[in-house]
Short mmCIF file of all heavy atoms in Angstrom, two decimals:
data_model
loop_
_atom_site.label_atom_id
_atom_site.label_comp_id
_atom_site.label_asym_id
_atom_site.label_seq_id
_atom_site.Cartn_x
_atom_site.Cartn_y
_atom_site.Cartn_z
N MET A 1 5.87 -23.56 11.95
CA MET A 1 6.74 -22.58 11.33
C MET A 1 5.97 -21.85 10.23
O MET A 1 5.20 -22.45 9.50
CB MET A 1 7.97 -23.29 10.74
CG MET A 1 8.91 -22.34 10.06
SD MET A 1 10.30 -23.15 9.26
CE MET A 1 11.38 -23.32 10.66
N ARG A 2 6.19 -20.57 10.11
CA ARG A 2 5.51 -19.80 9.07
C ARG A 2 6.42 -19.63 7.86
O ARG A 2 7.64 -19.60 7.98
CB ARG A 2 5.08 -18.46 9.61
CG ARG A 2 6.25 -17.60 10.00
CD ARG A 2 5.77 -16.22 10.44
NE ARG A 2 6.91 -15.34 10.39
CZ ARG A 2 7.35 -14.63 11.39
NH1 ARG A 2 6.74 -14.68 12.54
NH2 ARG A 2 8.40 -13.85 11.27
N ASP A 3 5.80 -19.52 6.71
CA ASP A 3 6.56 -19.26 5.49
C ASP A 3 6.87 -17.78 5.42
O ASP A 3 6.01 -16.93 5.64
CB ASP A 3 5.76 -19.66 4.26
CG ASP A 3 5.62 -21.16 4.12
OD1 ASP A 3 6.51 -21.88 4.61
OD2 ASP A 3 4.63 -21.60 3.52
N ILE A 4 8.11 -17.46 5.10
CA ILE A 4 8.54 -16.08 4.98
C ILE A 4 8.83 -15.78 3.52
O ILE A 4 9.49 -16.57 2.84
CB ILE A 4 9.81 -15.81 5.82
CG1 ILE A 4 9.51 -15.98 7.30
CG2 ILE A 4 10.37 -14.41 5.55
CD1 ILE A 4 10.73 -15.90 8.19
N CYS A 5 8.33 -14.66 3.06
CA CYS A 5 8.66 -14.17 1.72
C CYS A 5 9.46 -12.89 1.91
O CYS A 5 8.96 -11.92 2.49
CB CYS A 5 7.39 -13.91 0.92
SG CYS A 5 7.74 -13.20 -0.71
N LEU A 6 10.67 -12.88 1.43
CA LEU A 6 11.52 -11.71 1.52
C LEU A 6 11.38 -10.91 0.22
O LEU A 6 11.64 -11.44 -0.87
CB LEU A 6 12.98 -12.11 1.72
CG LEU A 6 14.01 -10.99 1.73
CD1 LEU A 6 13.75 -10.00 2.85
CD2 LEU A 6 15.41 -11.56 1.82
N VAL A 7 10.95 -9.67 0.33
CA VAL A 7 10.82 -8.79 -0.83
C VAL A 7 11.97 -7.79 -0.79
O VAL A 7 12.05 -6.98 0.13
CB VAL A 7 9.46 -8.05 -0.84
CG1 VAL A 7 9.37 -7.14 -2.05
CG2 VAL A 7 8.32 -9.05 -0.83
N ARG A 8 12.84 -7.88 -1.78
CA ARG A 8 13.94 -6.92 -1.87
C ARG A 8 13.51 -5.82 -2.83
O ARG A 8 13.29 -6.06 -4.01
CB ARG A 8 15.21 -7.61 -2.34
CG ARG A 8 15.69 -8.63 -1.31
CD ARG A 8 17.03 -9.19 -1.62
NE ARG A 8 16.98 -10.07 -2.78
CZ ARG A 8 17.96 -10.90 -3.12
NH1 ARG A 8 19.07 -10.96 -2.41
NH2 ARG A 8 17.84 -11.66 -4.18
N ALA A 9 13.37 -4.61 -2.27
CA ALA A 9 12.80 -3.48 -3.02
C ALA A 9 13.77 -2.30 -3.00
O ALA A 9 13.66 -1.43 -2.14
CB ALA A 9 11.45 -3.10 -2.41
N PRO A 10 14.70 -2.25 -3.93
CA PRO A 10 15.67 -1.14 -3.95
C PRO A 10 15.03 0.16 -4.40
O PRO A 10 14.41 0.22 -5.47
CB PRO A 10 16.72 -1.61 -4.95
CG PRO A 10 15.97 -2.51 -5.87
CD PRO A 10 14.90 -3.17 -5.04
N SER A 11 15.14 1.19 -3.58
CA SER A 11 14.52 2.48 -3.95
C SER A 11 15.19 3.63 -3.22
O SER A 11 15.67 3.47 -2.10
CB SER A 11 13.03 2.46 -3.60
OG SER A 11 12.46 3.73 -3.84
N ASN A 12 15.21 4.76 -3.88
CA ASN A 12 15.61 6.01 -3.25
C ASN A 12 14.62 7.10 -3.64
O ASN A 12 14.90 8.28 -3.53
CB ASN A 12 17.03 6.40 -3.64
CG ASN A 12 17.25 6.44 -5.13
OD1 ASN A 12 16.36 6.18 -5.91
ND2 ASN A 12 18.46 6.75 -5.55
N LEU A 13 13.44 6.69 -4.06
CA LEU A 13 12.42 7.64 -4.51
C LEU A 13 12.00 8.57 -3.38
O LEU A 13 11.83 8.15 -2.24
CB LEU A 13 11.20 6.88 -5.03
CG LEU A 13 11.42 6.02 -6.25
CD1 LEU A 13 10.14 5.28 -6.61
CD2 LEU A 13 11.93 6.83 -7.42
N GLY A 14 11.84 9.83 -3.71
CA GLY A 14 11.38 10.82 -2.74
C GLY A 14 12.47 11.45 -1.90
O GLY A 14 12.22 12.42 -1.21
N LEU A 15 13.67 10.90 -1.95
CA LEU A 15 14.75 11.46 -1.14
C LEU A 15 15.40 12.66 -1.83
O LEU A 15 15.55 12.69 -3.04
CB LEU A 15 15.81 10.39 -0.87
CG LEU A 15 15.34 9.19 -0.07
CD1 LEU A 15 16.44 8.16 0.06
CD2 LEU A 15 14.84 9.60 1.29
N ARG A 16 15.79 13.61 -1.02
CA ARG A 16 16.43 14.81 -1.53
C ARG A 16 17.92 14.53 -1.76
O ARG A 16 18.59 13.93 -0.92
CB ARG A 16 16.27 15.94 -0.51
CG ARG A 16 16.85 17.26 -0.97
CD ARG A 16 16.65 18.32 0.06
NE ARG A 16 17.34 17.90 1.29
CZ ARG A 16 16.99 18.27 2.50
NH1 ARG A 16 15.98 19.06 2.69
NH2 ARG A 16 17.67 17.86 3.54
N PRO A 17 18.47 14.97 -2.89
CA PRO A 17 19.91 14.81 -3.11
C PRO A 17 20.70 15.64 -2.11
O PRO A 17 20.25 16.71 -1.69
CB PRO A 17 20.12 15.32 -4.53
CG PRO A 17 18.83 15.86 -5.01
CD PRO A 17 17.78 15.62 -3.98
N LEU A 18 21.85 15.17 -1.69
CA LEU A 18 22.68 15.89 -0.74
C LEU A 18 23.27 17.16 -1.33
O LEU A 18 23.50 18.14 -0.64
CB LEU A 18 23.81 15.00 -0.24
CG LEU A 18 23.39 13.77 0.56
CD1 LEU A 18 24.60 12.92 0.92
CD2 LEU A 18 22.64 14.18 1.81
N HIS A 19 23.52 17.12 -2.63
CA HIS A 19 24.06 18.28 -3.35
C HIS A 19 23.64 18.13 -4.81
O HIS A 19 23.21 17.05 -5.22
CB HIS A 19 25.58 18.38 -3.20
CG HIS A 19 26.31 17.10 -3.49
ND1 HIS A 19 26.52 16.65 -4.78
CD2 HIS A 19 26.83 16.17 -2.68
CE1 HIS A 19 27.17 15.49 -4.73
NE2 HIS A 19 27.37 15.18 -3.47
N PRO A 20 23.75 19.19 -5.60
CA PRO A 20 23.33 19.12 -7.00
C PRO A 20 23.98 17.94 -7.74
O PRO A 20 25.18 17.73 -7.64
CB PRO A 20 23.78 20.46 -7.59
CG PRO A 20 23.78 21.38 -6.41
CD PRO A 20 24.22 20.53 -5.24
N GLY A 21 23.16 17.17 -8.42
CA GLY A 21 23.66 16.04 -9.19
C GLY A 21 23.81 14.75 -8.41
O GLY A 21 24.07 13.70 -8.98
N HIS A 22 23.66 14.79 -7.10
CA HIS A 22 23.81 13.60 -6.26
C HIS A 22 22.57 12.72 -6.33
O HIS A 22 21.45 13.21 -6.35
CB HIS A 22 24.06 14.02 -4.81
CG HIS A 22 24.12 12.88 -3.86
ND1 HIS A 22 23.06 12.54 -3.04
CD2 HIS A 22 25.10 11.98 -3.60
CE1 HIS A 22 23.40 11.49 -2.32
NE2 HIS A 22 24.62 11.13 -2.64
N VAL A 23 22.77 11.41 -6.37
CA VAL A 23 21.66 10.45 -6.32
C VAL A 23 21.82 9.65 -5.03
O VAL A 23 22.85 8.99 -4.83
CB VAL A 23 21.69 9.52 -7.55
CG1 VAL A 23 20.61 8.45 -7.43
CG2 VAL A 23 21.50 10.32 -8.83
N PRO A 24 20.83 9.70 -4.12
CA PRO A 24 20.93 8.96 -2.86
C PRO A 24 21.17 7.46 -3.09
O PRO A 24 20.63 6.87 -4.01
CB PRO A 24 19.57 9.20 -2.19
CG PRO A 24 19.07 10.48 -2.80
CD PRO A 24 19.59 10.47 -4.21
N GLY A 25 21.98 6.87 -2.24
CA GLY A 25 22.38 5.47 -2.41
C GLY A 25 21.57 4.46 -1.63
O GLY A 25 21.96 3.30 -1.55
N THR A 26 20.44 4.86 -1.07
CA THR A 26 19.65 3.91 -0.27
C THR A 26 19.14 2.73 -1.07
O THR A 26 18.79 1.71 -0.50
CB THR A 26 18.45 4.62 0.40
OG1 THR A 26 17.69 5.27 -0.62
CG2 THR A 26 18.92 5.63 1.42
N TRP A 27 19.12 2.85 -2.40
CA TRP A 27 18.67 1.74 -3.24
C TRP A 27 19.58 0.52 -3.08
O TRP A 27 19.20 -0.60 -3.40
CB TRP A 27 18.60 2.17 -4.71
CG TRP A 27 19.91 2.59 -5.28
CD1 TRP A 27 20.45 3.85 -5.28
CD2 TRP A 27 20.87 1.74 -5.91
NE1 TRP A 27 21.68 3.84 -5.88
CE2 TRP A 27 21.97 2.55 -6.27
CE3 TRP A 27 20.92 0.40 -6.21
CZ2 TRP A 27 23.09 2.05 -6.92
CZ3 TRP A 27 22.04 -0.11 -6.85
CH2 TRP A 27 23.11 0.71 -7.20
N ARG A 28 20.76 0.71 -2.53
CA ARG A 28 21.70 -0.41 -2.34
C ARG A 28 21.38 -1.27 -1.12
O ARG A 28 21.95 -2.34 -0.93
CB ARG A 28 23.11 0.14 -2.20
CG ARG A 28 23.64 0.82 -3.42
CD ARG A 28 25.09 1.28 -3.16
NE ARG A 28 25.60 2.04 -4.28
CZ ARG A 28 25.65 3.36 -4.36
NH1 ARG A 28 25.21 4.09 -3.36
NH2 ARG A 28 26.13 3.96 -5.42
N ALA A 29 20.47 -0.82 -0.27
CA ALA A 29 20.20 -1.51 1.01
C ALA A 29 19.81 -2.98 0.87
O ALA A 29 20.34 -3.83 1.59
CB ALA A 29 19.16 -0.75 1.80
N PRO A 30 18.89 -3.35 -0.02
CA PRO A 30 18.52 -4.77 -0.09
C PRO A 30 19.70 -5.68 -0.41
O PRO A 30 19.85 -6.75 0.19
CB PRO A 30 17.47 -4.82 -1.21
CG PRO A 30 16.88 -3.45 -1.21
CD PRO A 30 18.02 -2.53 -0.89
N GLN A 31 20.55 -5.27 -1.33
CA GLN A 31 21.72 -6.08 -1.68
C GLN A 31 22.70 -6.15 -0.51
O GLN A 31 23.24 -7.21 -0.19
CB GLN A 31 22.41 -5.53 -2.93
CG GLN A 31 23.56 -6.38 -3.41
CD GLN A 31 23.12 -7.76 -3.86
OE1 GLN A 31 22.04 -7.92 -4.42
NE2 GLN A 31 23.93 -8.76 -3.62
N ALA A 32 22.91 -5.02 0.16
CA ALA A 32 23.83 -4.98 1.30
C ALA A 32 23.33 -5.89 2.43
O ALA A 32 24.12 -6.62 3.05
CB ALA A 32 24.00 -3.55 1.81
N LEU A 33 22.04 -5.87 2.69
CA LEU A 33 21.48 -6.74 3.74
C LEU A 33 21.59 -8.22 3.36
O LEU A 33 21.89 -9.07 4.21
CB LEU A 33 20.02 -6.37 4.01
CG LEU A 33 19.82 -5.03 4.70
CD1 LEU A 33 18.35 -4.62 4.66
CD2 LEU A 33 20.32 -5.08 6.13
N SER A 34 21.39 -8.52 2.09
CA SER A 34 21.54 -9.90 1.64
C SER A 34 22.99 -10.36 1.80
O SER A 34 23.26 -11.46 2.28
CB SER A 34 21.10 -10.04 0.18
OG SER A 34 19.72 -9.81 0.06
N GLU A 35 23.92 -9.51 1.39
CA GLU A 35 25.34 -9.84 1.51
C GLU A 35 25.78 -9.97 2.97
O GLU A 35 26.72 -10.69 3.27
CB GLU A 35 26.19 -8.81 0.79
CG GLU A 35 26.04 -8.88 -0.72
CD GLU A 35 26.75 -7.76 -1.45
OE1 GLU A 35 27.41 -6.91 -0.80
OE2 GLU A 35 26.62 -7.72 -2.69
N ALA A 36 25.08 -9.30 3.88
CA ALA A 36 25.40 -9.37 5.31
C ALA A 36 24.79 -10.60 5.97
O ALA A 36 25.00 -10.82 7.16
CB ALA A 36 24.92 -8.10 6.01
N GLY A 37 24.03 -11.41 5.21
CA GLY A 37 23.53 -12.66 5.77
C GLY A 37 22.05 -12.70 6.10
O GLY A 37 21.60 -13.65 6.75
N LEU A 38 21.28 -11.73 5.67
CA LEU A 38 19.86 -11.70 6.00
C LEU A 38 19.12 -12.94 5.51
O LEU A 38 18.29 -13.50 6.24
CB LEU A 38 19.20 -10.44 5.42
CG LEU A 38 17.72 -10.25 5.75
CD1 LEU A 38 17.53 -10.05 7.25
CD2 LEU A 38 17.15 -9.08 4.98
N ILE A 39 19.42 -13.39 4.32
CA ILE A 39 18.73 -14.55 3.76
C ILE A 39 19.03 -15.80 4.59
O ILE A 39 18.13 -16.60 4.88
CB ILE A 39 19.09 -14.75 2.28
CG1 ILE A 39 18.53 -13.58 1.48
CG2 ILE A 39 18.55 -16.07 1.75
CD1 ILE A 39 18.95 -13.56 0.03
N GLU A 40 20.27 -15.96 4.99
CA GLU A 40 20.64 -17.13 5.79
C GLU A 40 19.97 -17.13 7.16
O GLU A 40 19.64 -18.17 7.71
CB GLU A 40 22.17 -17.19 5.96
CG GLU A 40 22.92 -17.53 4.69
CD GLU A 40 23.07 -16.35 3.73
OE1 GLU A 40 22.84 -15.20 4.14
OE2 GLU A 40 23.38 -16.61 2.56
N VAL A 41 19.74 -15.94 7.72
CA VAL A 41 19.10 -15.84 9.03
C VAL A 41 17.59 -16.06 8.92
O VAL A 41 17.01 -16.79 9.72
CB VAL A 41 19.39 -14.45 9.67
CG1 VAL A 41 18.55 -14.24 10.92
CG2 VAL A 41 20.87 -14.31 10.00
N LEU A 42 16.96 -15.46 7.92
CA LEU A 42 15.51 -15.57 7.77
C LEU A 42 15.07 -16.90 7.17
O LEU A 42 13.98 -17.38 7.46
CB LEU A 42 14.98 -14.44 6.89
CG LEU A 42 15.03 -13.03 7.45
CD1 LEU A 42 14.49 -12.04 6.42
CD2 LEU A 42 14.24 -12.93 8.74
N VAL A 43 15.89 -17.45 6.29
CA VAL A 43 15.56 -18.67 5.55
C VAL A 43 14.16 -18.54 4.92
O VAL A 43 13.24 -19.29 5.23
CB VAL A 43 15.65 -19.93 6.44
CG1 VAL A 43 15.57 -21.18 5.59
CG2 VAL A 43 16.91 -19.92 7.27
N PRO A 44 14.00 -17.57 4.04
CA PRO A 44 12.69 -17.36 3.44
C PRO A 44 12.33 -18.48 2.48
O PRO A 44 13.19 -19.09 1.84
CB PRO A 44 12.85 -16.04 2.68
CG PRO A 44 14.31 -15.97 2.38
CD PRO A 44 15.01 -16.64 3.53
N ALA A 45 11.03 -18.74 2.39
CA ALA A 45 10.55 -19.73 1.43
C ALA A 45 10.69 -19.18 0.01
O ALA A 45 10.82 -19.94 -0.95
CB ALA A 45 9.09 -20.07 1.72
N ARG A 46 10.66 -17.86 -0.08
CA ARG A 46 10.73 -17.22 -1.39
C ARG A 46 11.40 -15.86 -1.26
O ARG A 46 11.23 -15.17 -0.26
CB ARG A 46 9.30 -17.04 -1.90
CG ARG A 46 9.16 -16.72 -3.34
CD ARG A 46 7.72 -16.90 -3.78
NE ARG A 46 6.83 -15.97 -3.11
CZ ARG A 46 5.97 -15.18 -3.71
NH1 ARG A 46 5.84 -15.22 -5.01
NH2 ARG A 46 5.21 -14.37 -3.03
N VAL A 47 12.16 -15.49 -2.28
CA VAL A 47 12.77 -14.16 -2.35
C VAL A 47 12.26 -13.51 -3.63
O VAL A 47 12.38 -14.08 -4.71
CB VAL A 47 14.31 -14.23 -2.38
CG1 VAL A 47 14.92 -12.85 -2.55
CG2 VAL A 47 14.85 -14.89 -1.11
N VAL A 48 11.68 -12.33 -3.49
CA VAL A 48 11.15 -11.59 -4.63
C VAL A 48 11.99 -10.33 -4.80
O VAL A 48 12.15 -9.56 -3.84
CB VAL A 48 9.67 -11.21 -4.41
CG1 VAL A 48 9.15 -10.36 -5.56
CG2 VAL A 48 8.82 -12.46 -4.22
N ASP A 49 12.52 -10.13 -5.99
CA ASP A 49 13.32 -8.94 -6.28
C ASP A 49 12.52 -8.00 -7.16
O ASP A 49 12.12 -8.36 -8.26
CB ASP A 49 14.62 -9.31 -6.99
CG ASP A 49 15.60 -9.99 -6.07
OD1 ASP A 49 15.89 -9.42 -5.00
OD2 ASP A 49 16.07 -11.09 -6.40
N LEU A 50 12.28 -6.78 -6.67
CA LEU A 50 11.64 -5.75 -7.47
C LEU A 50 12.71 -4.98 -8.22
O LEU A 50 13.83 -4.82 -7.74
CB LEU A 50 10.83 -4.79 -6.61
CG LEU A 50 9.63 -5.38 -5.87
CD1 LEU A 50 8.89 -4.29 -5.10
CD2 LEU A 50 8.68 -6.07 -6.83
N GLU A 51 12.35 -4.49 -9.38
CA GLU A 51 13.28 -3.71 -10.18
C GLU A 51 13.44 -2.32 -9.56
O GLU A 51 12.48 -1.74 -9.06
CB GLU A 51 12.73 -3.58 -11.60
CG GLU A 51 13.70 -2.97 -12.56
CD GLU A 51 13.18 -3.03 -13.98
OE1 GLU A 51 12.54 -4.02 -14.34
OE2 GLU A 51 13.42 -2.05 -14.71
N ARG A 52 14.63 -1.81 -9.62
CA ARG A 52 14.91 -0.48 -9.09
C ARG A 52 14.25 0.57 -9.98
O ARG A 52 14.53 0.63 -11.19
CB ARG A 52 16.41 -0.25 -9.04
CG ARG A 52 16.80 1.13 -8.62
CD ARG A 52 18.31 1.27 -8.66
NE ARG A 52 18.70 2.66 -8.57
CZ ARG A 52 19.85 3.13 -8.98
NH1 ARG A 52 20.72 2.32 -9.53
NH2 ARG A 52 20.13 4.39 -8.85
N PRO A 53 13.38 1.41 -9.43
CA PRO A 53 12.74 2.43 -10.24
C PRO A 53 13.70 3.58 -10.55
O PRO A 53 14.63 3.86 -9.79
CB PRO A 53 11.58 2.92 -9.36
CG PRO A 53 11.99 2.58 -7.98
CD PRO A 53 12.88 1.38 -8.06
N ALA A 54 13.46 4.24 -11.67
CA ALA A 54 14.29 5.39 -12.06
C ALA A 54 14.09 6.52 -11.06
O ALA A 54 12.99 6.74 -10.56
CB ALA A 54 13.92 5.84 -13.46
N TYR A 55 15.16 7.24 -10.77
CA TYR A 55 15.14 8.35 -9.82
C TYR A 55 15.37 9.65 -10.58
O TYR A 55 16.22 9.73 -11.46
CB TYR A 55 16.27 8.15 -8.79
CG TYR A 55 16.45 9.31 -7.84
CD1 TYR A 55 15.66 9.42 -6.71
CD2 TYR A 55 17.42 10.27 -8.05
CE1 TYR A 55 15.82 10.47 -5.81
CE2 TYR A 55 17.60 11.33 -7.17
CZ TYR A 55 16.80 11.42 -6.06
OH TYR A 55 16.96 12.47 -5.18
N SER A 56 14.61 10.66 -10.23
CA SER A 56 14.80 11.99 -10.81
C SER A 56 15.19 12.96 -9.70
O SER A 56 14.58 12.98 -8.64
CB SER A 56 13.51 12.47 -11.47
OG SER A 56 13.67 13.81 -11.91
N ILE A 57 16.20 13.74 -9.96
CA ILE A 57 16.69 14.71 -8.97
C ILE A 57 15.72 15.88 -8.84
O ILE A 57 15.59 16.48 -7.78
CB ILE A 57 18.10 15.20 -9.37
CG1 ILE A 57 19.09 14.05 -9.29
CG2 ILE A 57 18.55 16.36 -8.52
CD1 ILE A 57 20.44 14.33 -9.88
N GLU A 58 15.01 16.20 -9.88
CA GLU A 58 14.14 17.38 -9.92
C GLU A 58 12.77 17.13 -9.29
O GLU A 58 12.21 16.05 -9.43
CB GLU A 58 13.93 17.82 -11.37
CG GLU A 58 15.21 18.17 -12.10
CD GLU A 58 15.98 19.31 -11.45
OE1 GLU A 58 15.34 20.27 -10.99
OE2 GLU A 58 17.21 19.21 -11.39
N GLN A 59 12.27 18.13 -8.59
CA GLN A 59 10.89 18.08 -8.09
C GLN A 59 9.95 18.21 -9.28
O GLN A 59 10.26 18.88 -10.25
CB GLN A 59 10.62 19.21 -7.12
CG GLN A 59 11.38 19.09 -5.84
CD GLN A 59 11.06 20.25 -4.88
OE1 GLN A 59 10.26 21.10 -5.18
NE2 GLN A 59 11.71 20.24 -3.75
N GLN A 60 8.81 17.56 -9.18
CA GLN A 60 7.85 17.65 -10.26
C GLN A 60 7.08 18.96 -10.17
O GLN A 60 6.72 19.39 -9.07
CB GLN A 60 6.91 16.46 -10.22
CG GLN A 60 7.67 15.18 -10.50
CD GLN A 60 6.80 13.97 -10.37
OE1 GLN A 60 5.95 13.90 -9.50
NE2 GLN A 60 7.02 13.01 -11.24
N PRO A 61 6.85 19.60 -11.29
CA PRO A 61 6.17 20.90 -11.29
C PRO A 61 4.83 20.84 -10.55
O PRO A 61 4.04 19.93 -10.74
CB PRO A 61 5.94 21.19 -12.78
CG PRO A 61 6.94 20.35 -13.49
CD PRO A 61 7.16 19.14 -12.63
N GLY A 62 4.64 21.80 -9.65
CA GLY A 62 3.39 21.93 -8.94
C GLY A 62 3.17 20.96 -7.80
O GLY A 62 2.10 20.93 -7.22
N THR A 63 4.17 20.13 -7.45
CA THR A 63 3.94 19.12 -6.41
C THR A 63 4.88 19.24 -5.21
O THR A 63 4.57 18.77 -4.14
CB THR A 63 4.11 17.70 -6.97
OG1 THR A 63 5.49 17.50 -7.32
CG2 THR A 63 3.22 17.45 -8.15
N HIS A 64 6.07 19.77 -5.37
CA HIS A 64 7.12 19.77 -4.35
C HIS A 64 7.59 18.35 -4.04
O HIS A 64 8.18 18.10 -3.00
CB HIS A 64 6.67 20.46 -3.05
CG HIS A 64 6.31 21.88 -3.23
ND1 HIS A 64 7.21 22.85 -3.60
CD2 HIS A 64 5.12 22.52 -3.13
CE1 HIS A 64 6.61 24.01 -3.70
NE2 HIS A 64 5.33 23.84 -3.42
N LEU A 65 7.27 17.39 -4.90
CA LEU A 65 7.68 16.00 -4.71
C LEU A 65 8.66 15.60 -5.80
O LEU A 65 8.54 16.01 -6.94
CB LEU A 65 6.47 15.05 -4.81
CG LEU A 65 5.39 15.17 -3.76
CD1 LEU A 65 4.23 14.27 -4.11
CD2 LEU A 65 5.95 14.80 -2.39
N ARG A 66 9.58 14.75 -5.42
CA ARG A 66 10.44 14.10 -6.40
C ARG A 66 9.85 12.72 -6.67
O ARG A 66 9.57 11.98 -5.75
CB ARG A 66 11.86 13.94 -5.86
CG ARG A 66 12.61 15.23 -5.78
CD ARG A 66 13.96 15.02 -5.10
NE ARG A 66 14.61 16.29 -4.97
CZ ARG A 66 14.35 17.17 -4.00
NH1 ARG A 66 13.47 16.89 -3.08
NH2 ARG A 66 14.98 18.31 -3.94
N ASN A 67 9.64 12.41 -7.91
CA ASN A 67 9.24 11.05 -8.30
C ASN A 67 7.87 10.62 -7.79
O ASN A 67 7.64 9.44 -7.52
CB ASN A 67 10.30 10.05 -7.83
CG ASN A 67 11.69 10.42 -8.26
OD1 ASN A 67 11.99 10.35 -9.44
ND2 ASN A 67 12.52 10.87 -7.34
N GLY A 68 6.93 11.56 -7.64
CA GLY A 68 5.61 11.24 -7.10
C GLY A 68 4.92 10.07 -7.77
O GLY A 68 4.56 9.09 -7.11
N PRO A 69 4.71 10.10 -9.10
CA PRO A 69 4.06 8.97 -9.75
C PRO A 69 4.87 7.67 -9.63
O PRO A 69 4.30 6.59 -9.49
CB PRO A 69 3.94 9.41 -11.21
CG PRO A 69 3.91 10.90 -11.15
CD PRO A 69 4.83 11.25 -10.00
N ALA A 70 6.19 7.77 -9.66
CA ALA A 70 7.02 6.57 -9.52
C ALA A 70 6.89 5.97 -8.12
O ALA A 70 6.88 4.76 -7.95
CB ALA A 70 8.48 6.90 -9.82
N ILE A 71 6.77 6.84 -7.09
CA ILE A 71 6.56 6.35 -5.73
C ILE A 71 5.25 5.58 -5.65
O ILE A 71 5.17 4.50 -5.06
CB ILE A 71 6.57 7.52 -4.71
CG1 ILE A 71 7.96 8.13 -4.60
CG2 ILE A 71 6.08 7.05 -3.34
CD1 ILE A 71 7.99 9.43 -3.83
N ARG A 72 4.21 6.12 -6.26
CA ARG A 72 2.91 5.45 -6.26
C ARG A 72 3.00 4.08 -6.94
O ARG A 72 2.53 3.08 -6.40
CB ARG A 72 1.88 6.32 -6.97
CG ARG A 72 0.48 5.70 -6.97
CD ARG A 72 -0.51 6.62 -7.68
NE ARG A 72 -1.85 6.11 -7.57
CZ ARG A 72 -2.34 5.15 -8.35
NH1 ARG A 72 -1.61 4.61 -9.29
NH2 ARG A 72 -3.59 4.73 -8.19
N ARG A 73 3.60 4.03 -8.13
CA ARG A 73 3.73 2.76 -8.85
C ARG A 73 4.54 1.74 -8.03
O ARG A 73 4.18 0.58 -7.94
CB ARG A 73 4.41 2.98 -10.20
CG ARG A 73 3.50 3.48 -11.28
CD ARG A 73 4.17 3.44 -12.65
NE ARG A 73 5.45 4.15 -12.71
CZ ARG A 73 5.59 5.44 -12.91
NH1 ARG A 73 4.53 6.22 -13.04
NH2 ARG A 73 6.79 5.98 -12.95
N PHE A 74 5.62 2.21 -7.43
CA PHE A 74 6.48 1.32 -6.64
C PHE A 74 5.73 0.76 -5.44
O PHE A 74 5.80 -0.43 -5.15
CB PHE A 74 7.73 2.08 -6.19
CG PHE A 74 8.81 1.22 -5.63
CD1 PHE A 74 9.51 0.33 -6.42
CD2 PHE A 74 9.15 1.30 -4.28
CE1 PHE A 74 10.51 -0.46 -5.90
CE2 PHE A 74 10.14 0.52 -3.75
CZ PHE A 74 10.84 -0.35 -4.56
N ASN A 75 4.96 1.61 -4.76
CA ASN A 75 4.19 1.14 -3.61
C ASN A 75 3.10 0.16 -4.04
O ASN A 75 2.82 -0.80 -3.31
CB ASN A 75 3.58 2.32 -2.86
CG ASN A 75 4.63 3.07 -2.07
OD1 ASN A 75 5.62 2.50 -1.65
ND2 ASN A 75 4.42 4.35 -1.88
N LEU A 76 2.49 0.39 -5.17
CA LEU A 76 1.50 -0.56 -5.66
C LEU A 76 2.15 -1.90 -6.00
O LEU A 76 1.56 -2.96 -5.76
CB LEU A 76 0.76 0.00 -6.88
CG LEU A 76 -0.19 1.17 -6.57
CD1 LEU A 76 -0.72 1.76 -7.87
CD2 LEU A 76 -1.32 0.72 -5.66
N ASP A 77 3.37 -1.87 -6.53
CA ASP A 77 4.10 -3.12 -6.80
C ASP A 77 4.39 -3.88 -5.51
O ASP A 77 4.37 -5.11 -5.48
CB ASP A 77 5.42 -2.86 -7.52
CG ASP A 77 5.23 -2.47 -8.98
OD1 ASP A 77 4.10 -2.66 -9.52
OD2 ASP A 77 6.19 -1.97 -9.58
N LEU A 78 4.66 -3.13 -4.44
CA LEU A 78 4.94 -3.76 -3.14
C LEU A 78 3.71 -4.41 -2.54
O LEU A 78 3.80 -5.40 -1.84
CB LEU A 78 5.50 -2.74 -2.17
CG LEU A 78 6.94 -2.33 -2.35
CD1 LEU A 78 7.29 -1.16 -1.45
CD2 LEU A 78 7.87 -3.49 -2.11
N ALA A 79 2.56 -3.81 -2.82
CA ALA A 79 1.31 -4.32 -2.24
C ALA A 79 0.94 -5.60 -2.86
O ALA A 79 0.89 -6.60 -2.90
CB ALA A 79 0.18 -3.33 -2.48
#
């Protein structure tokens, strides 16, 4: 049997808001999957929870990206 590490990484970085002022709700996915029984099915040896990064609705000047540096930091945390 292999050891499983479940990394719960809530994020909505890089997603476009549906309308002005809207914040995408995909950051809720890790909690929803846990509540649906994912942990009981996987039986991970360890569960790691990453902190939800701050989301900005505005594109960064000169990049056409939302949250570019935050996406980079979050991906490095995942690695």
